[in-house]
Short mmCIF file of all heavy atoms in Angstrom, two decimals:
data_model
loop_
_atom_site.label_atom_id
_atom_site.label_comp_id
_atom_site.label_asym_id
_atom_site.label_seq_id
_atom_site.Cartn_x
_atom_site.Cartn_y
_atom_site.Cartn_z
N MET H 1 -6.33 -19.14 4.13
CA MET H 1 -6.09 -17.76 3.68
C MET H 1 -4.90 -17.73 2.72
O MET H 1 -3.89 -18.36 2.98
CB MET H 1 -5.82 -16.89 4.91
CG MET H 1 -5.72 -15.41 4.57
SD MET H 1 -5.66 -14.40 6.06
CE MET H 1 -3.99 -14.70 6.61
N ALA H 2 -5.05 -17.04 1.63
CA ALA H 2 -3.96 -16.92 0.65
C ALA H 2 -2.88 -15.98 1.20
O ALA H 2 -3.07 -15.32 2.22
CB ALA H 2 -4.50 -16.40 -0.66
N LYS H 3 -1.80 -15.95 0.49
CA LYS H 3 -0.66 -15.14 0.94
C LYS H 3 -0.32 -14.18 -0.20
O LYS H 3 -0.44 -14.53 -1.37
CB LYS H 3 0.50 -16.11 1.19
CG LYS H 3 1.70 -15.56 1.85
CD LYS H 3 2.64 -16.73 2.20
CE LYS H 3 4.02 -16.23 2.58
NZ LYS H 3 4.79 -15.74 1.43
N VAL H 4 0.09 -12.98 0.14
CA VAL H 4 0.56 -12.06 -0.89
C VAL H 4 2.03 -12.37 -1.15
O VAL H 4 2.85 -12.37 -0.23
CB VAL H 4 0.37 -10.59 -0.45
CG1 VAL H 4 0.96 -9.65 -1.48
CG2 VAL H 4 -1.11 -10.29 -0.23
N GLU H 5 2.36 -12.64 -2.42
CA GLU H 5 3.73 -12.98 -2.77
C GLU H 5 4.55 -11.70 -2.98
O GLU H 5 4.05 -10.69 -3.44
CB GLU H 5 3.76 -13.81 -4.06
CG GLU H 5 3.01 -15.14 -3.97
CD GLU H 5 3.69 -16.15 -3.05
OE1 GLU H 5 4.90 -16.02 -2.78
OE2 GLU H 5 2.98 -17.07 -2.60
N ASP H 6 5.83 -11.81 -2.67
CA ASP H 6 6.77 -10.70 -2.89
C ASP H 6 7.25 -10.74 -4.34
O ASP H 6 8.26 -11.36 -4.66
CB ASP H 6 7.94 -10.82 -1.92
CG ASP H 6 8.92 -9.67 -2.06
OD1 ASP H 6 8.64 -8.75 -2.85
OD2 ASP H 6 9.96 -9.70 -1.38
N THR H 7 6.47 -10.12 -5.22
CA THR H 7 6.83 -10.07 -6.64
C THR H 7 6.89 -8.61 -7.09
O THR H 7 6.25 -7.73 -6.48
CB THR H 7 5.78 -10.79 -7.51
OG1 THR H 7 4.53 -10.08 -7.38
CG2 THR H 7 5.58 -12.24 -7.08
N PRO H 8 7.61 -8.32 -8.18
CA PRO H 8 7.65 -6.95 -8.70
C PRO H 8 6.26 -6.43 -9.08
O PRO H 8 5.97 -5.25 -8.86
CB PRO H 8 8.53 -7.07 -9.96
CG PRO H 8 9.36 -8.30 -9.74
CD PRO H 8 8.51 -9.23 -8.92
N GLU H 9 5.40 -7.31 -9.58
CA GLU H 9 4.04 -6.90 -9.96
C GLU H 9 3.27 -6.46 -8.71
O GLU H 9 2.57 -5.44 -8.73
CB GLU H 9 3.29 -8.05 -10.63
CG GLU H 9 3.81 -8.46 -11.99
CD GLU H 9 5.14 -9.24 -11.94
OE1 GLU H 9 5.42 -9.89 -10.90
OE2 GLU H 9 5.89 -9.19 -12.91
N ASN H 10 3.38 -7.23 -7.64
CA ASN H 10 2.66 -6.89 -6.41
C ASN H 10 3.23 -5.62 -5.78
O ASN H 10 2.48 -4.80 -5.24
CB ASN H 10 2.70 -8.05 -5.42
CG ASN H 10 1.76 -9.17 -5.83
OD1 ASN H 10 0.94 -9.01 -6.73
ND2 ASN H 10 1.87 -10.31 -5.17
N PHE H 11 4.53 -5.44 -5.86
CA PHE H 11 5.14 -4.21 -5.33
C PHE H 11 4.57 -3.00 -6.08
O PHE H 11 4.23 -1.98 -5.48
CB PHE H 11 6.66 -4.27 -5.48
CG PHE H 11 7.36 -3.07 -4.92
CD1 PHE H 11 7.48 -2.90 -3.55
CD2 PHE H 11 7.89 -2.10 -5.75
CE1 PHE H 11 8.11 -1.79 -3.01
CE2 PHE H 11 8.53 -0.98 -5.23
CZ PHE H 11 8.64 -0.83 -3.86
N LYS H 12 4.43 -3.15 -7.39
CA LYS H 12 3.89 -2.07 -8.21
C LYS H 12 2.45 -1.74 -7.80
O LYS H 12 2.08 -0.57 -7.66
CB LYS H 12 3.93 -2.50 -9.68
CG LYS H 12 3.94 -1.37 -10.66
CD LYS H 12 4.26 -1.90 -12.04
CE LYS H 12 3.64 -1.02 -13.09
NZ LYS H 12 3.60 -1.64 -14.40
N ILE H 13 1.64 -2.75 -7.59
CA ILE H 13 0.25 -2.54 -7.16
C ILE H 13 0.22 -1.83 -5.81
O ILE H 13 -0.51 -0.86 -5.61
CB ILE H 13 -0.52 -3.88 -7.09
CG1 ILE H 13 -0.69 -4.44 -8.50
CG2 ILE H 13 -1.87 -3.70 -6.39
CD1 ILE H 13 -1.17 -5.89 -8.54
N CYS H 14 1.06 -2.28 -4.90
CA CYS H 14 1.13 -1.66 -3.56
C CYS H 14 1.53 -0.19 -3.67
O CYS H 14 0.99 0.67 -2.98
CB CYS H 14 2.11 -2.43 -2.69
SG CYS H 14 2.22 -1.80 -1.02
N MET H 15 2.46 0.10 -4.55
CA MET H 15 3.00 1.47 -4.68
C MET H 15 2.16 2.37 -5.55
O MET H 15 2.31 3.58 -5.54
CB MET H 15 4.43 1.40 -5.25
CG MET H 15 5.45 0.91 -4.27
SD MET H 15 5.54 1.97 -2.80
CE MET H 15 4.79 0.90 -1.60
N GLN H 16 1.27 1.77 -6.37
CA GLN H 16 0.49 2.61 -7.27
C GLN H 16 -0.51 3.48 -6.52
O GLN H 16 -0.62 4.66 -6.75
CB GLN H 16 -0.22 1.77 -8.32
CG GLN H 16 0.59 1.68 -9.60
CD GLN H 16 0.11 0.60 -10.54
OE1 GLN H 16 -0.81 -0.16 -10.19
NE2 GLN H 16 0.71 0.51 -11.69
N LYS H 17 -1.26 2.90 -5.63
CA LYS H 17 -2.28 3.71 -4.94
C LYS H 17 -2.71 3.11 -3.62
O LYS H 17 -3.81 3.30 -3.17
CB LYS H 17 -3.51 3.90 -5.85
CG LYS H 17 -4.06 2.60 -6.35
CD LYS H 17 -5.22 2.80 -7.28
CE LYS H 17 -5.62 1.46 -7.81
NZ LYS H 17 -6.80 1.29 -8.46
N ASN H 18 -1.83 2.34 -3.01
CA ASN H 18 -2.21 1.70 -1.75
C ASN H 18 -1.30 2.18 -0.64
O ASN H 18 -1.56 3.24 -0.07
CB ASN H 18 -2.26 0.19 -1.96
CG ASN H 18 -3.31 -0.17 -3.02
OD1 ASN H 18 -4.48 0.00 -2.79
ND2 ASN H 18 -2.88 -0.59 -4.20
N CYS H 19 -0.22 1.49 -0.33
CA CYS H 19 0.70 2.04 0.67
C CYS H 19 1.19 3.43 0.26
O CYS H 19 1.34 4.33 1.10
CB CYS H 19 1.91 1.12 0.87
SG CYS H 19 1.56 -0.32 1.89
N ASN H 20 1.45 3.61 -1.02
CA ASN H 20 2.06 4.84 -1.49
C ASN H 20 1.24 6.10 -1.21
O ASN H 20 1.78 7.18 -1.04
CB ASN H 20 2.31 4.72 -3.00
CG ASN H 20 3.28 5.75 -3.49
OD1 ASN H 20 4.26 6.05 -2.81
ND2 ASN H 20 3.02 6.31 -4.64
N THR H 21 -0.08 5.95 -1.14
CA THR H 21 -0.92 7.13 -0.87
C THR H 21 -1.47 7.11 0.55
O THR H 21 -2.34 7.90 0.90
CB THR H 21 -2.10 7.19 -1.87
OG1 THR H 21 -2.85 5.97 -1.75
CG2 THR H 21 -1.62 7.35 -3.30
N CYS H 22 -0.95 6.22 1.36
CA CYS H 22 -1.45 6.07 2.73
C CYS H 22 -0.86 7.16 3.64
O CYS H 22 0.33 7.45 3.55
CB CYS H 22 -1.04 4.70 3.25
SG CYS H 22 -1.42 4.46 4.97
N PRO H 23 -1.68 7.77 4.50
CA PRO H 23 -1.17 8.81 5.39
C PRO H 23 -0.12 8.29 6.39
O PRO H 23 0.65 9.08 6.93
CB PRO H 23 -2.42 9.31 6.12
CG PRO H 23 -3.45 8.25 5.93
CD PRO H 23 -3.13 7.55 4.65
N SER H 24 -0.09 7.00 6.61
CA SER H 24 0.89 6.43 7.56
C SER H 24 2.16 5.93 6.87
O SER H 24 3.09 5.52 7.56
CB SER H 24 0.27 5.24 8.30
OG SER H 24 -0.96 5.56 8.87
N PHE H 25 2.22 5.94 5.56
CA PHE H 25 3.35 5.35 4.82
C PHE H 25 4.68 5.90 5.33
O PHE H 25 4.93 7.11 5.23
CB PHE H 25 3.17 5.62 3.33
CG PHE H 25 4.20 4.97 2.44
CD1 PHE H 25 4.63 3.68 2.66
CD2 PHE H 25 4.73 5.66 1.36
CE1 PHE H 25 5.57 3.07 1.83
CE2 PHE H 25 5.66 5.06 0.52
CZ PHE H 25 6.08 3.78 0.76
N PRO H 26 5.54 5.06 5.89
CA PRO H 26 6.77 5.55 6.51
C PRO H 26 7.86 5.98 5.52
O PRO H 26 8.84 6.60 5.91
CB PRO H 26 7.24 4.36 7.36
CG PRO H 26 6.57 3.16 6.78
CD PRO H 26 5.30 3.63 6.15
N ARG H 27 7.71 5.68 4.23
CA ARG H 27 8.64 6.11 3.19
C ARG H 27 10.08 5.69 3.44
O ARG H 27 11.01 6.43 3.13
CB ARG H 27 8.57 7.64 2.97
CG ARG H 27 7.17 8.07 2.63
CD ARG H 27 7.06 9.42 1.93
NE ARG H 27 5.68 9.68 1.58
CZ ARG H 27 5.09 9.20 0.49
NH1 ARG H 27 5.77 8.50 -0.38
NH2 ARG H 27 3.83 9.42 0.26
N GLY H 28 10.26 4.51 3.97
CA GLY H 28 11.62 3.97 4.06
C GLY H 28 12.11 3.67 2.65
O GLY H 28 11.34 3.28 1.79
N LYS H 29 13.39 3.88 2.43
CA LYS H 29 13.96 3.74 1.07
C LYS H 29 13.70 2.34 0.50
O LYS H 29 14.08 1.34 1.11
CB LYS H 29 15.46 4.01 1.13
CG LYS H 29 16.07 4.32 -0.20
CD LYS H 29 17.49 4.88 0.00
CE LYS H 29 18.06 5.38 -1.32
NZ LYS H 29 18.39 4.34 -2.25
N GLY H 30 13.05 2.29 -0.65
CA GLY H 30 12.80 1.02 -1.33
C GLY H 30 11.74 0.16 -0.67
O GLY H 30 11.52 -0.98 -1.08
N GLU H 31 11.09 0.71 0.34
CA GLU H 31 10.14 -0.11 1.10
C GLU H 31 8.75 -0.16 0.47
O GLU H 31 8.40 0.68 -0.35
CB GLU H 31 9.98 0.45 2.52
CG GLU H 31 11.14 0.17 3.41
CD GLU H 31 10.82 0.59 4.85
OE1 GLU H 31 9.71 1.06 5.12
OE2 GLU H 31 11.71 0.41 5.69
N GLY H 32 7.97 -1.11 0.90
CA GLY H 32 6.59 -1.26 0.50
C GLY H 32 6.22 -2.73 0.58
O GLY H 32 7.01 -3.54 1.07
N LEU H 33 5.03 -3.05 0.13
CA LEU H 33 4.54 -4.43 0.12
C LEU H 33 4.79 -5.10 1.49
O LEU H 33 5.26 -6.22 1.59
CB LEU H 33 5.23 -5.21 -1.01
CG LEU H 33 4.57 -6.51 -1.48
CD1 LEU H 33 3.15 -6.29 -1.94
CD2 LEU H 33 5.37 -7.16 -2.60
N TYR H 34 4.45 -4.37 2.53
CA TYR H 34 4.75 -4.82 3.90
C TYR H 34 4.06 -6.12 4.26
O TYR H 34 4.57 -6.89 5.07
CB TYR H 34 4.36 -3.72 4.90
CG TYR H 34 5.08 -2.42 4.68
CD1 TYR H 34 4.42 -1.34 4.12
CD2 TYR H 34 6.42 -2.29 4.99
CE1 TYR H 34 5.07 -0.14 3.89
CE2 TYR H 34 7.09 -1.11 4.77
CZ TYR H 34 6.41 -0.03 4.22
OH TYR H 34 7.07 1.15 3.98
N CYS H 35 2.89 -6.37 3.64
CA CYS H 35 2.16 -7.61 3.96
C CYS H 35 2.95 -8.85 3.53
O CYS H 35 2.79 -9.91 4.10
CB CYS H 35 0.79 -7.59 3.31
SG CYS H 35 0.86 -7.41 1.52
N ALA H 36 3.82 -8.69 2.52
CA ALA H 36 4.64 -9.81 2.05
C ALA H 36 6.06 -9.73 2.61
O ALA H 36 6.67 -10.75 2.93
CB ALA H 36 4.68 -9.82 0.53
N ARG H 37 6.57 -8.52 2.74
CA ARG H 37 7.99 -8.35 3.09
C ARG H 37 8.25 -8.13 4.58
O ARG H 37 9.40 -8.18 5.01
CB ARG H 37 8.56 -7.16 2.33
CG ARG H 37 8.58 -7.35 0.83
CD ARG H 37 9.17 -6.14 0.18
NE ARG H 37 9.33 -6.32 -1.26
CZ ARG H 37 9.77 -5.37 -2.07
NH1 ARG H 37 10.07 -4.18 -1.59
NH2 ARG H 37 9.90 -5.62 -3.35
N GLY H 38 7.21 -7.79 5.30
CA GLY H 38 7.39 -7.50 6.72
C GLY H 38 7.46 -6.00 6.96
O GLY H 38 7.42 -5.19 6.04
N ALA H 39 7.58 -5.65 8.23
CA ALA H 39 7.42 -4.25 8.68
C ALA H 39 8.54 -3.34 8.19
O ALA H 39 9.60 -3.78 7.73
CB ALA H 39 7.36 -4.22 10.20
N SER H 40 8.29 -2.05 8.34
CA SER H 40 9.24 -1.01 7.97
C SER H 40 10.43 -0.97 8.93
O SER H 40 10.35 -1.41 10.07
CB SER H 40 8.52 0.34 8.02
OG SER H 40 9.41 1.39 7.75
N GLN H 41 11.53 -0.41 8.44
CA GLN H 41 12.69 -0.12 9.30
C GLN H 41 12.51 1.23 9.99
O GLN H 41 13.31 1.58 10.86
CB GLN H 41 13.97 -0.06 8.44
CG GLN H 41 14.27 -1.33 7.67
CD GLN H 41 14.56 -2.50 8.58
OE1 GLN H 41 15.30 -2.36 9.57
NE2 GLN H 41 13.98 -3.65 8.28
N GLN H 42 11.49 1.96 9.58
CA GLN H 42 11.25 3.29 10.12
C GLN H 42 10.16 3.23 11.19
O GLN H 42 9.31 2.35 11.13
CB GLN H 42 10.75 4.25 9.03
CG GLN H 42 11.55 4.24 7.75
CD GLN H 42 12.92 4.84 7.97
OE1 GLN H 42 13.06 5.81 8.71
NE2 GLN H 42 13.93 4.26 7.32
N PRO H 43 10.17 4.20 12.11
CA PRO H 43 9.03 4.30 13.02
C PRO H 43 7.79 4.72 12.23
O PRO H 43 7.92 5.45 11.25
CB PRO H 43 9.43 5.39 14.01
CG PRO H 43 10.61 6.08 13.43
CD PRO H 43 11.19 5.23 12.33
N VAL H 44 6.63 4.25 12.64
CA VAL H 44 5.39 4.55 11.91
C VAL H 44 4.41 5.23 12.85
O VAL H 44 4.17 4.76 13.96
CB VAL H 44 4.74 3.26 11.37
CG1 VAL H 44 3.45 3.59 10.63
CG2 VAL H 44 5.69 2.51 10.46
N GLU H 45 3.87 6.36 12.40
CA GLU H 45 2.80 7.01 13.13
C GLU H 45 1.49 6.59 12.48
O GLU H 45 1.28 6.84 11.30
CB GLU H 45 2.98 8.53 13.04
CG GLU H 45 2.25 9.27 14.12
CD GLU H 45 2.38 10.79 13.93
OE1 GLU H 45 3.43 11.23 13.44
OE2 GLU H 45 1.40 11.49 14.26
N LYS H 46 0.63 5.92 13.23
CA LYS H 46 -0.62 5.39 12.68
C LYS H 46 -1.61 6.52 12.41
O LYS H 46 -2.11 7.16 13.33
CB LYS H 46 -1.25 4.40 13.65
CG LYS H 46 -0.52 3.07 13.74
CD LYS H 46 -1.34 2.13 14.61
CE LYS H 46 -0.70 0.77 14.73
NZ LYS H 46 -1.46 -0.13 15.62
N LYS H 47 -1.87 6.76 11.11
CA LYS H 47 -2.83 7.80 10.73
C LYS H 47 -3.88 7.24 9.79
O LYS H 47 -4.47 7.97 9.00
CB LYS H 47 -2.11 8.94 10.01
CG LYS H 47 -1.07 9.67 10.86
CD LYS H 47 -0.40 10.72 10.01
CE LYS H 47 0.80 11.33 10.68
NZ LYS H 47 1.63 12.06 9.70
N GLY H 48 -4.08 5.95 9.82
CA GLY H 48 -4.99 5.28 8.88
C GLY H 48 -4.19 4.28 8.06
O GLY H 48 -2.97 4.39 7.96
N CYS H 49 -4.90 3.30 7.52
CA CYS H 49 -4.25 2.24 6.73
C CYS H 49 -5.10 1.94 5.50
O CYS H 49 -6.31 1.69 5.62
CB CYS H 49 -4.10 0.98 7.58
SG CYS H 49 -3.42 -0.43 6.69
N ASN H 50 -4.48 2.01 4.33
CA ASN H 50 -5.19 1.77 3.06
C ASN H 50 -5.34 0.30 2.72
O ASN H 50 -6.00 -0.02 1.72
CB ASN H 50 -4.43 2.43 1.90
CG ASN H 50 -4.57 3.94 1.88
OD1 ASN H 50 -5.32 4.50 2.66
ND2 ASN H 50 -3.84 4.58 0.99
N CYS H 51 -4.74 -0.59 3.48
CA CYS H 51 -4.75 -2.01 3.09
C CYS H 51 -6.14 -2.54 2.71
O CYS H 51 -6.26 -3.23 1.70
CB CYS H 51 -4.13 -2.87 4.18
SG CYS H 51 -2.33 -2.72 4.29
N PRO H 52 -7.20 -2.26 3.48
CA PRO H 52 -8.50 -2.85 3.13
C PRO H 52 -9.04 -2.43 1.77
O PRO H 52 -9.96 -3.05 1.26
CB PRO H 52 -9.43 -2.38 4.26
CG PRO H 52 -8.52 -2.16 5.41
CD PRO H 52 -7.25 -1.60 4.79
N GLU H 53 -8.46 -1.39 1.15
CA GLU H 53 -8.88 -1.00 -0.20
C GLU H 53 -7.97 -1.58 -1.27
O GLU H 53 -8.20 -1.39 -2.46
CB GLU H 53 -8.90 0.52 -0.32
CG GLU H 53 -10.08 1.13 0.40
CD GLU H 53 -9.75 2.48 0.99
OE1 GLU H 53 -9.13 3.28 0.29
OE2 GLU H 53 -10.11 2.70 2.16
N CYS H 54 -6.94 -2.28 -0.87
CA CYS H 54 -5.93 -2.79 -1.80
C CYS H 54 -6.42 -4.09 -2.45
O CYS H 54 -6.89 -4.99 -1.74
CB CYS H 54 -4.64 -3.04 -1.03
SG CYS H 54 -3.40 -3.90 -1.97
N PRO H 55 -6.31 -4.21 -3.77
CA PRO H 55 -6.76 -5.44 -4.43
C PRO H 55 -6.02 -6.69 -3.95
O PRO H 55 -6.60 -7.77 -3.92
CB PRO H 55 -6.49 -5.18 -5.92
CG PRO H 55 -5.65 -3.97 -5.99
CD PRO H 55 -5.85 -3.20 -4.74
N LEU H 56 -4.77 -6.53 -3.55
CA LEU H 56 -4.02 -7.70 -3.07
C LEU H 56 -4.57 -8.17 -1.72
O LEU H 56 -4.67 -9.35 -1.45
CB LEU H 56 -2.53 -7.35 -2.93
CG LEU H 56 -1.83 -6.93 -4.22
CD1 LEU H 56 -0.39 -6.51 -3.93
CD2 LEU H 56 -1.85 -8.05 -5.25
N TRP H 57 -4.91 -7.23 -0.89
CA TRP H 57 -5.47 -7.53 0.44
C TRP H 57 -6.81 -8.24 0.27
O TRP H 57 -7.08 -9.26 0.90
CB TRP H 57 -5.66 -6.19 1.18
CG TRP H 57 -5.97 -6.24 2.64
CD1 TRP H 57 -5.07 -6.20 3.68
CD2 TRP H 57 -7.27 -6.27 3.27
NE1 TRP H 57 -5.72 -6.20 4.89
CE2 TRP H 57 -7.08 -6.24 4.67
CE3 TRP H 57 -8.58 -6.30 2.78
CZ2 TRP H 57 -8.13 -6.25 5.58
CZ3 TRP H 57 -9.63 -6.32 3.70
CH2 TRP H 57 -9.41 -6.30 5.07
N ILE H 58 -7.63 -7.72 -0.64
CA ILE H 58 -8.96 -8.30 -0.89
C ILE H 58 -8.82 -9.70 -1.49
O ILE H 58 -9.42 -10.66 -0.99
CB ILE H 58 -9.77 -7.37 -1.81
CG1 ILE H 58 -10.05 -6.04 -1.09
CG2 ILE H 58 -11.07 -8.04 -2.26
CD1 ILE H 58 -10.51 -4.92 -1.99
N ASP H 59 -7.98 -9.83 -2.52
CA ASP H 59 -7.84 -11.13 -3.20
C ASP H 59 -7.27 -12.20 -2.27
O ASP H 59 -7.63 -13.37 -2.38
CB ASP H 59 -6.95 -11.00 -4.43
CG ASP H 59 -7.64 -10.23 -5.56
OD1 ASP H 59 -8.85 -9.97 -5.43
OD2 ASP H 59 -6.96 -9.90 -6.55
N ALA H 60 -6.37 -11.81 -1.40
CA ALA H 60 -5.74 -12.80 -0.50
C ALA H 60 -6.61 -13.07 0.73
O ALA H 60 -6.31 -13.97 1.52
CB ALA H 60 -4.35 -12.31 -0.07
N GLY H 61 -7.68 -12.29 0.90
CA GLY H 61 -8.54 -12.48 2.07
C GLY H 61 -7.83 -12.14 3.38
O GLY H 61 -8.06 -12.78 4.40
N LEU H 62 -6.97 -11.12 3.32
CA LEU H 62 -6.25 -10.72 4.54
C LEU H 62 -7.21 -10.05 5.51
O LEU H 62 -8.29 -9.59 5.12
CB LEU H 62 -5.10 -9.77 4.19
CG LEU H 62 -4.03 -10.31 3.24
CD1 LEU H 62 -2.91 -9.27 3.06
CD2 LEU H 62 -3.44 -11.62 3.73
N SER H 63 -6.81 -9.96 6.76
CA SER H 63 -7.69 -9.32 7.74
C SER H 63 -6.94 -8.29 8.58
O SER H 63 -7.56 -7.44 9.21
CB SER H 63 -8.32 -10.37 8.66
OG SER H 63 -7.31 -11.15 9.25
N ARG H 64 -5.64 -8.35 8.61
CA ARG H 64 -4.87 -7.40 9.43
C ARG H 64 -4.72 -6.06 8.71
O ARG H 64 -4.93 -5.95 7.51
CB ARG H 64 -3.46 -7.96 9.67
CG ARG H 64 -3.32 -8.81 10.91
CD ARG H 64 -1.84 -9.06 11.17
NE ARG H 64 -1.09 -7.80 11.25
CZ ARG H 64 0.22 -7.69 11.03
NH1 ARG H 64 0.95 -8.74 10.70
NH2 ARG H 64 0.83 -6.53 11.14
N MET H 65 -4.28 -5.08 9.47
CA MET H 65 -3.91 -3.78 8.91
C MET H 65 -2.55 -3.40 9.49
O MET H 65 -2.00 -4.11 10.33
CB MET H 65 -4.96 -2.73 9.28
CG MET H 65 -6.26 -2.92 8.50
SD MET H 65 -7.67 -2.04 9.22
CE MET H 65 -7.22 -0.33 8.92
N TYR H 66 -1.99 -2.30 9.03
CA TYR H 66 -0.73 -1.77 9.55
C TYR H 66 0.41 -2.78 9.49
O TYR H 66 1.15 -2.95 10.46
CB TYR H 66 -0.91 -1.25 10.98
CG TYR H 66 -1.77 -0.01 11.07
CD1 TYR H 66 -3.07 -0.09 11.56
CD2 TYR H 66 -1.29 1.22 10.67
CE1 TYR H 66 -3.88 1.04 11.63
CE2 TYR H 66 -2.09 2.36 10.74
CZ TYR H 66 -3.38 2.26 11.23
OH TYR H 66 -4.16 3.39 11.32
N TYR H 67 0.57 -3.42 8.35
CA TYR H 67 1.69 -4.35 8.17
C TYR H 67 3.05 -3.63 8.25
O TYR H 67 4.07 -4.26 8.48
CB TYR H 67 1.57 -5.07 6.83
CG TYR H 67 0.40 -6.02 6.77
CD1 TYR H 67 -0.82 -5.62 6.23
CD2 TYR H 67 0.50 -7.32 7.27
CE1 TYR H 67 -1.91 -6.47 6.19
CE2 TYR H 67 -0.57 -8.19 7.23
CZ TYR H 67 -1.78 -7.75 6.69
OH TYR H 67 -2.85 -8.61 6.66
N CYS H 68 3.03 -2.33 8.01
CA CYS H 68 4.30 -1.57 8.05
C CYS H 68 4.81 -1.32 9.47
O CYS H 68 5.98 -1.00 9.66
CB CYS H 68 4.12 -0.23 7.34
SG CYS H 68 2.83 0.79 8.10
N VAL H 69 3.96 -1.44 10.45
CA VAL H 69 4.33 -1.06 11.82
C VAL H 69 5.22 -2.14 12.45
O VAL H 69 4.82 -3.30 12.53
CB VAL H 69 3.07 -0.86 12.69
CG1 VAL H 69 3.45 -0.57 14.15
CG2 VAL H 69 2.23 0.28 12.14
N PRO H 70 6.44 -1.77 12.86
CA PRO H 70 7.31 -2.75 13.52
C PRO H 70 6.70 -3.20 14.84
O PRO H 70 6.15 -2.39 15.57
CB PRO H 70 8.62 -1.99 13.76
CG PRO H 70 8.52 -0.74 12.94
CD PRO H 70 7.07 -0.45 12.77
N SER H 71 6.78 -4.48 15.12
CA SER H 71 6.14 -4.97 16.37
C SER H 71 7.13 -4.92 17.53
O SER H 71 8.32 -4.81 17.33
CB SER H 71 5.62 -6.39 16.19
OG SER H 71 6.62 -7.21 15.65
S1 SF4 J 1 0.67 -1.19 5.60
FE1 SF4 J 1 -1.23 -0.02 5.84
S2 SF4 J 1 -0.64 1.63 7.25
FE2 SF4 J 1 1.25 0.81 6.43
S3 SF4 J 1 1.68 2.12 4.65
FE3 SF4 J 1 0.56 0.31 3.91
S4 SF4 J 1 -1.53 0.97 3.84
FE4 SF4 J 1 -0.47 2.39 5.15
S1 SF4 J 2 -2.22 -5.17 1.59
FE1 SF4 J 2 -1.31 -3.28 2.35
S2 SF4 J 2 0.89 -3.70 2.53
FE2 SF4 J 2 -0.03 -5.28 1.23
S3 SF4 J 2 0.22 -4.53 -0.86
FE3 SF4 J 2 -1.77 -3.88 -0.19
S4 SF4 J 2 -1.51 -1.82 0.64
FE4 SF4 J 2 0.53 -2.76 0.50
#
């Protein structure tokens, strides 16, 4: 399985219409690209996850959702 890299380009893709438009997006300051950077510092209320529609998720062959949720 490929990995999503923490790059400015990938952050932009995540913020354009993926995490950024997700009903669960915790909106922590400067946060996003959780699949590469790890979970949010904020509590997350699960209201759906856009990851399966994200081109990075598809290209990397990821299978998880809710990368923003702290474990
Ligand atoms: S990781 Fe999933 S649930 Fe969390 S903000 Fe991104 S799309 Fe939404
Ligand atoms: S897979 Fe999810 S967390 Fe990763 S860039 Fe896409 S929407 Fe953001």
Side-chain angles (χ1 to χ4, degrees):
M1 187 171 75
K3 189 172 167 287
V4 175
E5 299 291 340
D6 182 4
T7 64
E9 292 74 26
N10 285 350
F11 182 74
K12 203 169 152 195
I13 292 168
C14 182
M15 287 300 108
Q16 265 166 355
K17 54 183 176 167
N18 299 292
C19 282
N20 197 39
T21 58
C22 174
S24 309
F25 185 41
R27 303 200 176 277
K29 198 167 188 289
E31 286 188 1
L33 199 57
Y34 301 106
C35 58
R37 296 180 174 177
S40 177
Q41 301 296 316
Q42 311 291 322
V44 180
E45 200 184 327
K46 288 187 179 177
K47 297 178 190 164
C49 176
N50 286 354
C51 287
E53 285 147 45
C54 171
L56 299 175
W57 192 92
I58 294 164
D59 289 351
L62 300 184
S63 55
R64 270 191 54 203
M65 287 164 68
Y66 291 106
Y67 292 95
C68 59
V69 176
S71 50

